[in-house]
C-alpha cells in the first residue's frame, strides 16, 4: 500500500456498520471504503459512545511528519456525526465545530478518536464531543460540535440520491441499533 495515503488498520470484529453502507459505492471522505483518497475510518463501540482507530500517512501532512490540523477536525466530525446517526437514528448536519489541539499528531502513528453525546434535549441542536488519543491514551486534541437534525426528504434537492437509495437509507436509519440515545453502547 502507498504509505502516503491512509493506512488501513486491522478491522476489529465489532465494527459498526453505518447506515450509508447500504448505498452501493458511497464515497464519504471520512468513512467510505470506496473512496481511495479518503480516510476509510471504521467505527467500533466504546463504553461512552463510538470510536475509530486511524493512522495517517504523508499524503495527509502539513509540516513534515505532522498530520494537517484540518483533518483532525474532519475525523472528530466524522465520529461525532456517525454516533448521532447510530444513537438517534437520524442524520444531522454540522452547524458549528471547535477543535483544540494539545499536541501535534504525527504521520504513521496510531491514534483513536472517541465521540460522546450530550443527553437529548427536545427541539434543541445536538451537542457532541470527541477526543483524539495517542497509543498511550494521552489526549492530543479535543473537539465539540453542534448538529442540526434533518429529514432526508427535506434535503433531497441537495443530495445526489436516487429514489431507491433514499428508500435504502431511510430503512437503514430506522433499523434497531444497540446504542442508547446518548450514544452509550448497550
Amino acid at each position: 500500500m502507498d504509505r502516503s495515503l491512509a493506512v488501513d488498520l486491522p478491522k476489529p470484529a465489532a465494527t459498526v456498520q453505518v447506515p450509508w453502507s447500504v448505498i452501493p459505492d458511497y464515497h464519504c471522505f471520512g468513512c467510505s471504503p470506496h473512496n481511495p483518497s479518503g480516510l476509510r475510518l471504521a467505527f467500533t463501540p466504546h463504553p461512552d459512545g463510538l470510536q475509530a482507530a486511524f493512522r495517517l500517512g504523508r499524503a495527509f501532512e502539513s509540516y513534515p511528519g505532522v498530520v494537517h490540523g484540518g483533518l483532525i477536525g474532519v475525523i472528530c466530525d466524522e465520529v461525532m456525526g456517525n454516533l448521532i446517526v447510530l444513537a438517534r437514528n437520524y442524520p444531522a448536519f454540522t452547524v458549528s465545530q471547535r477543535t483544540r489541539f494539545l499536541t501535534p499528531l504525527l504521520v504513521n502513528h496510531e491514534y483513536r478518536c472517541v465521540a460522546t453525546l450530550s443527553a437529548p434535549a427536545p427541539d434543541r441542536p445536538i451537542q457532541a464531543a470527541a477526543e483524539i488519543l495517542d497509543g498511550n491514551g494521552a489526549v492530543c486534541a479535543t473537539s465539540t460540535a453542534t448538529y442540526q437534525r434533518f429529514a432526508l426528504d427535506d434535503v433531497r434537492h441537495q443530495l445526489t440520491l436516487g429514489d431507491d437509495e433514499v428508500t435504502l437509507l431511510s430503512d437503514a436509519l430506522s433499523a434497531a441499533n444497540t446504542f442508547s440515545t446518548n450514544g452509550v453502547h448497550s
Side-chain angles (χ1 to χ4, degrees):
M1 162 174 256
D2 180 353
R3 301 274 309 167
S4 67
L5 296 176
V7 178
D8 288 327
L9 296 174
K11 305 287 190 268
T15 299
V16 176
Q17 292 297 313
V18 295
W20 323 113
S21 64
V22 299
I23 300 172
D25 198 36
Y26 77 108
H27 266 71
C28 174
F29 177 76
C31 66
S32 175
H34 309 294
N35 188 338
S37 60
L39 299 172
R40 291 181 261 164
L41 296 173
F43 307 104
T44 57
H46 183 274
D48 297 325
L50 188 67
Q51 66 183 345
F54 64 95
R55 178 182 2 184
L56 300 178
R58 292 198 62 209
F60 299 106
E61 75 180 1
S62 59
Y63 293 114
V66 175
V67 174
H68 192 287
L71 291 169
I72 304 313
V74 169
I75 291 166
C76 290
D77 183 49
E78 188 71 18
V79 182
M80 290 184 289
N82 275 298
L83 176 56
I84 291 167
V85 169
L86 292 166
R88 308 268 172 92
N89 292 82
Y90 52 74
F93 286 130
T94 310
V95 175
S96 67
Q97 181 178 0
R98 180 177 183 177
T99 303
R100 182 171 179 240
F101 303 95
L102 304 173
T103 182
L105 274 68
L106 305 176
V107 297
N108 294 318
H109 282 72
E110 291 187 25
Y111 298 94
R112 66 188 168 100
C113 178
V114 178
T116 59
L117 293 176
S118 295
D123 301 321
R124 302 280 318 226
I126 303 153
Q127 304 296 314
E131 293 182 329
I132 303 279
L133 305 138
D134 67 13
N136 296 320
V139 177
C140 301
T142 62
S143 188
T144 56
T146 302
Y147 295 84
Q148 184 61 52
R149 175 184 184 168
F150 68 86
L152 285 174
D153 287 336
D154 293 344
V155 298
R156 182 78 190 277
H157 64 285
Q158 297 169 315
L159 303 176
T160 56
L161 296 173
D163 291 339
D164 56 336
E165 293 169 323
V166 169
T167 300
L168 284 172
L169 188 53
S170 293
D171 290 346
L173 287 167
S174 64
N177 65 57
T178 60
F179 287 90
S180 68
T181 57
N182 68 349
V184 176
H185 186 66
S186 41

